[in-house]
Each structure stands twice: as C-alpha cells, then as structure tokens.
Amino acid sequence: RGRGTIYAYTIMYHTGDKRFASAVPYASIVVEPDDAPGALMAGNLLGVPYTEAKVGRRVELVFETLNDDIELPQWRLAEG
C-alpha cells in the first residue's frame, strides 16, 4: 500500500548542515496515509521540483537508503 495525501508542506530554503546545501530548496511534506486516517507522517517529496508540493496531491511511500544502516521513509508523487 504506502499511499496517502499531502496534508501540509513547507519549502525548505536553508539547511542547518552545510553538507545538505545542494538539496535546497526542497519540499518537506506531511502525509495522511490511506491506511491510517488521522495519522500523519513526515518526509520529503522526491523526484520532482519543490513547486509540485500541493495539499491534496496523492503520494506513495519510498525508502531512501542513506547508508548500510539508515533508510528514510520519503514520498514521491503517485502515478495515475
């Protein structure tokens, strides 16, 4: 499953860690998962320009591997 709807978002223009400077600007989103109405999950919107983040857009869960120990739940726009 892993699908949901963008509930809220913010555009990040600054980062507290210079190692992530190349990632800004990006969309940090809050998603209401289809499988858990009322629950909220945060993550980043991947694979599209930050301007594509809009409340009500459909997204699907993906896992971004940072290293051998860390995988982050993130989101991409759902197809269809």
Side-chain angles (χ1 to χ4, degrees), residues 5-9 29-32 40 54-57:
T5 303
I6 297 177
Y7 179 86
Y9 68 93
I29 64 174
V30 177
V31 174
E32 182 175 27
L40 298 173
K54 305 285 184 225
V55 171
R57 292 206 69 180

Side-chain angles (χ1 to χ4, degrees), residues 13-51:
Y13 291 99
H14 302 282
T15 178
D17 188 321
K18 292 182 181 185
R19 292 175 293 178
F20 300 107
S22 64
V24 294
Y26 65 92
S28 180
I29 64 174
V30 177
V31 174
E32 182 175 27
D34 293 347
D35 295 345
L40 298 173
M41 255 182 101
N44 296 325
L45 183 60
L46 303 179
V48 295
Y50 67 93
T51 54

